[in-house]
Amino acid sequence: MSLYFTIATANNILPDVIRKYEIVLQKRNAVIEIEQHIDTNINIEIFVKLKQKLNYALTELYSAISDLENIGVVIKSIDDGLVDFPSKHFSDDVWLCWKYGETQIKFWHEKNIGFSGRKPICVNDETLV
């Protein structure tokens, strides 16, 4: 069974999405920080410890991503802060589009068109599920 969001249901869960997305960002930043310290010219013992730390951090990152996407949303870009919610426009599958920093779902786009094709949601747009 597919999960489709209405504008109202997407906005209702948005605070949870934001909280979980911020955890993803924290975990991603931890991975980046560890990667910056891994250098093949360092002592092998330090390298192994950092590599193990990196493996753990990556596992935590993937767990956080999974936790967020289990809500039914899809992360389109962690770096750009893009998360999409599956929806319908008449009978067509579309995405309700959210960008980190926005306080509500205000845009949508066709399934095969990305962020650059975002369209504003009209206040009374009943064509979106």
Side-chain angles (χ1 to χ4, degrees), residues 12-84:
N12 284 341
I13 69 159
L14 189 57
D16 196 33
V17 168
I18 292 169
R19 183 181 59 76
K20 290 176 185 271
Y21 179 78
E22 288 174 343
I23 292 169
V24 169
L25 282 178
Q26 291 169 359
K27 302 297 182 187
R28 190 240 12 217
N29 291 341
V31 167
I32 290 170
E33 185 173 329
I34 295 165
E35 287 177 330
Q36 290 173 346
H37 291 95
I38 292 181
D39 182 348
T40 55
N41 294 323
I42 60 176
N43 174 296
I44 195 154
E45 289 178 36
I46 295 172
F47 178 83
V48 169
K49 286 180 183 179
L50 285 172
K51 185 68 171 78
Q52 290 169 342
K53 190 175 178 181
L54 177 61
N55 290 342
Y56 179 77
L58 284 167
T59 299
E60 286 201 326
L61 172 60
Y62 287 122
S63 177
I65 289 169
S66 180
D67 189 40
L68 173 56
E69 290 192 334
N70 282 338
I71 294 173
V73 300
V74 176
I75 298 173
K76 292 295 183 88
S77 172
I78 295 172
D79 292 338
D80 295 327
L82 301 177
V83 176
D84 284 349

Side-chain angles (χ1 to χ4, degrees), residues 7 11 29-30 68 90 92 109 114 116 118-119 129:
I7 298 162
N11 279 316
N29 291 341
L68 173 56
F90 296 109
D92 296 328
H109 60 83
S116 62
R118 291 191 340 159
K119 300 172 186 172
V129 172

